[in-house]
Amino acid sequence: MPIYAYRCEACGFAKDVLQKISDAPLTECPACSKPAFKKQLTAAGFQLKGSGWYATDFRDSGKSATPASSAGSGDAGHSCSGACSHASPPAESASA
């Protein structure tokens, strides 16, 4: 269940409330009993940690990746290690 932050516009009382998403928002302030208790917009409070997450996988952002389907780039995106029939032919060596 999410935790929602509420604040009273009349007296300034603030409270975090654990509620179901389907629950109706609270309207009455528990401190002053006025109908000025409003739900506040807050940022999500989680952080992705551990191996395998985006933050650790792409740490070296200075390098640019070559797109696999760039036109006229020879073997860009080719993953067959040159042993297949659709690879570019090897460069001819000059014989003397």
Side-chain angles (χ1 to χ4, degrees), residues 36-91:
F37 214 40
K38 303 288 180 184
K39 192 185 293 187
Q40 294 184 311
L41 182 63
T42 58
F46 74 95
Q47 182 178 4
L48 302 176
K49 291 185 177 182
S51 64
W53 295 102
Y54 181 83
T56 57
D57 286 347
F58 299 103
R59 215 169 259 221
D60 194 10
S61 62
K63 294 180 181 177
S64 62
T66 305
S69 63
S70 58
S73 61
D75 286 339
H78 189 88
S79 61
C80 296
S81 70
C84 63
S85 61
H86 63 269
S88 297

Side-chain angles (χ1 to χ4, degrees), residues 1 4 11-12 20 22 29-31 33 35 39 42 54 57 63 72 74 82 89:
M1 280 193 289
Y4 295 103
C11 70
K20 291 181 182 178
S22 60
C29 175
S33 300
K39 192 185 293 187
T42 58
Y54 181 83
D57 286 347
K63 294 180 181 177

